[in-house]
Amino acid sequence: MKVYLAGPEVFLPNAREVLDAKIALAQRYGFTPVSPGDLEIPAYETKRGHGLAISAVNEKLMLSAEMIIANLTPFRGIAADVGTVYELGFMCARNCPAYGFSNVARDHFERLKAYYGGAVHPDAQGRPRGPDGLAVEDFEMIENLMLDGGIEARGGAFVTREVAAEAMFTDLGAFEECLSIAARRLLARH
Amino acid sequence: MKVYLAGPEVFLPNAREVLDAKIALAQRYGFTPVSPGDLEIPAYETKRGHGLAISAVNEKLMLSAEMIIANLTPFRGIAADVGTVYELGFMCARNCPAYGFSNVARDHFERLKAYYGGAVHPDAQGRPRGPDGLAVEDFEMIENLMLDGGIEARGGAFVTREVAAEAMFTDLGAFEECLSIAARRLLARH
C-alpha cells in the first residue's frame, strides 16, 4: 500500500536525512512510501511558478497514494503546519485511511489555555472563550475537530508523544506507532 | 451553485450575525450558501462525541456543495485556521472551484520575517532560513504553497485586503470580492 508521508520535515535543515529515515521505517512495516521531493520539480521562471510546480507535484504524489500519515506537531505556533493540514483534508476527501501524529502531548484545549495565559472562561452559555472573545474548542481532541474527526472517520489513529524540544521534528516514535497500527489493521482485514 | 463558506467566524462572539451576513451576501450574488451550523448536531454523550458530530455534519455539508470560499485570514498566529485549511484541501480533492481570502495583506514571506524578528537569511544553497534553521518559503504567495497552489489549480482566486485590526474577522470586503469574481467566471462560461 502506497502511503503519503505529509509533514513539515521538508523545512528542516536536515530534511533529506529525516525524510529518508521516515521512508526506511515505512518500508520496514511493508508500506510503499511517497513523500514530498520524490518527483523532480519541472522548470519554472518565477518564484511563484516554482511554488505552483511544487504544489502540483505534491498533489500528483497524493493522488498516487492510498493512505496518509500526517505529522501534525504544532509548527511555528499552537497548531499544525497548514500545508500538511491541506494534505490531510485532501486525502480524507478521497476516503483514504488517514493517520496523524504529534510530538506535543498537550491537547488542543491545553495549548489554547497556554496561548491565552490561562485566561479562558465560560461565557453566559457555558462555552469557554479567550479574552479576545474567541471560542476555545474543548472537545477532548488533539487538534481542531475537523482534523481529529477526519482521521477518526477514516478509521485512522492520531498518536501523540511528548519528546524533548530539540527532537520535536526529528523524533519518529509517534510516526512509527502510526505505521505499526496501520500495518496491524491492514493485516487483520486479510 | 452551492457554495461552502469555510472560516473561523464560527469562533466569534457574534458568529451567527457574521455567518448570516455572509449568507446574505452569497445569495445576493446568486449562490446557495451552506455554512457550519446549517444542520442540527445529533445528540452526543461526551465532549469528544460532540466534536465528532460537528465534524461529520461539516463534511456532509461540504459533500453537498460544489464550491468553497475559505476565510484564510491568519488565526491565532501567522497562518490560517487549520479547520478551514482541512476544508480547503477537502474541496480541492473533489476538484471544486476554490476561493480564498485574507484580511491580512502581508504575504507568507513577510509574516514569517516578522515572526522571526527579521532574522531570515539565505543558507549556503541560497534558501532563506530562520534562526531555528527552518526554511522560510519565499514563493510570492499569500500562504503555504499547497493553499495558494490548490486554489490556483482549481481556477479560483485568493483575495487579500488590509483591514483595521478590530474588523479582522468581520470585514466582508475580500469575501465579497471572491463572490463577485466567482459569479463573473460562472456567467462567462454560459
Side-chain angles (χ1 to χ4, degrees):
Chain A
M1 180 177 262
K2 237 180 184 179
V3 54
Y4 185 78
L5 307 181
E9 291 86 354
V10 290
F11 301 117
L12 295 173
N14 58 339
R16 192 64 264 160
E17 185 191 330
V18 180
L19 289 174
D20 285 345
K22 290 179 79 176
I23 289 168
L25 263 179
Q27 287 168 338
R28 194 181 309 161
Y29 281 84
F31 294 98
T32 305
V34 291
S35 58
D38 280 358
L39 289 177
E40 208 182 330
I41 306 299
Y44 49 84
E45 296 200 338
T46 61
K47 283 185 189 180
R48 186 171 170 83
H50 186 192
L52 293 175
I54 297 173
S55 160
V57 157
N58 289 351
E59 291 208 354
K60 195 171 167 183
L61 288 167
M62 282 197 284
L63 289 172
S64 79
E66 303 144 87
M67 184 177 124
I68 183 170
I69 302 179
N71 181 352
L72 300 170
T73 304
F75 184 70
R76 289 176 178 146
I78 52 166
D81 167 50
V82 290
T84 304
V85 173
Y86 175 96
E87 295 173 338
L88 176 65
F90 192 98
M91 294 297 276
C92 283
R94 298 182 59 233
N95 274 318
C96 296
Y99 289 77
F101 68 96
S102 171
N103 281 338
V104 170
R106 276 181 310 161
D107 72 8
H108 183 69
F109 186 61
E110 291 302 320
R111 295 199 307 280
L112 275 174
K113 273 205 294 194
Y115 172 80
Y116 286 122
V120 171
H121 302 291
D123 64 14
Q125 285 75 44
R127 197 173 182 192
R129 293 191 179 274
D132 54 9
L134 293 174
V136 172
E137 284 187 2
D138 179 17
F139 293 124
E140 291 160 355
M141 289 190 170
I142 299 158
E143 253 291 357
N144 177 291
L145 62 86
M146 294 307 296
L147 282 60
D148 286 63
I151 289 170
E152 179 144 334
R154 271 86 198 167
F158 198 157
V159 174
T160 63
R161 184 165 302 213
E162 197 67 36
V163 308
E166 65 272 18
M168 186 83 82
F169 291 103
T170 51
D171 186 292
L172 298 179
F175 170 68
E176 184 168 358
E177 199 176 326
C178 288
L179 289 168
S180 159
I181 296 170
R184 258 184 288 133
R185 288 185 182 168
L186 283 168
L187 278 176
R189 278 210 256 137
H190 293 292
Chain B
M1 179 177 263
K2 236 180 184 180
V3 55
Y4 185 80
L5 307 181
E9 291 86 355
V10 289
F11 301 116
L12 295 173
N14 57 340
R16 191 65 263 159
E17 184 191 331
V18 180
L19 290 174
D20 286 344
K22 289 179 80 177
I23 289 168
L25 264 178
Q27 287 169 338
R28 194 181 309 160
Y29 281 84
F31 293 99
T32 304
V34 289
S35 58
D38 280 358
L39 289 176
E40 209 182 329
I41 306 299
Y44 49 86
E45 296 201 337
T46 61
K47 284 184 186 180
R48 186 170 171 83
H50 187 192
L52 292 175
I54 298 173
S55 160
V57 157
N58 289 350
E59 290 208 355
K60 195 171 166 184
L61 288 167
M62 283 197 284
L63 290 171
S64 80
E66 302 146 87
M67 185 177 124
I68 183 171
I69 302 180
N71 180 351
L72 300 171
T73 304
F75 183 71
R76 289 179 178 146
I78 52 166
D81 166 51
V82 290
T84 305
V85 173
Y86 175 95
E87 295 173 337
L88 177 66
F90 192 99
M91 294 297 277
C92 283
R94 297 181 60 232
N95 274 317
C96 296
Y99 289 78
F101 69 95
S102 171
N103 281 338
V104 169
R106 278 180 310 161
D107 71 9
H108 183 69
F109 186 62
E110 291 302 321
R111 294 199 307 280
L112 275 174
K113 273 204 293 194
Y115 172 80
Y116 285 122
V120 171
H121 303 290
D123 64 14
Q125 285 75 44
R127 194 173 184 193
R129 291 189 181 274
D132 53 11
L134 293 174
V136 172
E137 284 189 359
D138 179 17
F139 293 124
E140 291 160 356
M141 289 189 171
I142 299 158
E143 252 292 355
N144 177 291
L145 62 85
M146 294 307 295
L147 282 59
D148 287 63
I151 289 170
E152 179 143 335
R154 272 86 197 168
F158 199 158
V159 174
T160 63
R161 183 165 302 212
E162 196 68 35
V163 308
E166 64 273 18
M168 186 81 85
F169 291 103
T170 51
D171 187 293
L172 297 180
F175 170 69
E176 184 167 359
E177 199 177 324
C178 288
L179 288 168
S180 159
I181 296 170
R184 258 184 287 131
R185 287 185 182 168
L186 283 169
L187 279 175
R189 279 210 256 136
H190 292 290

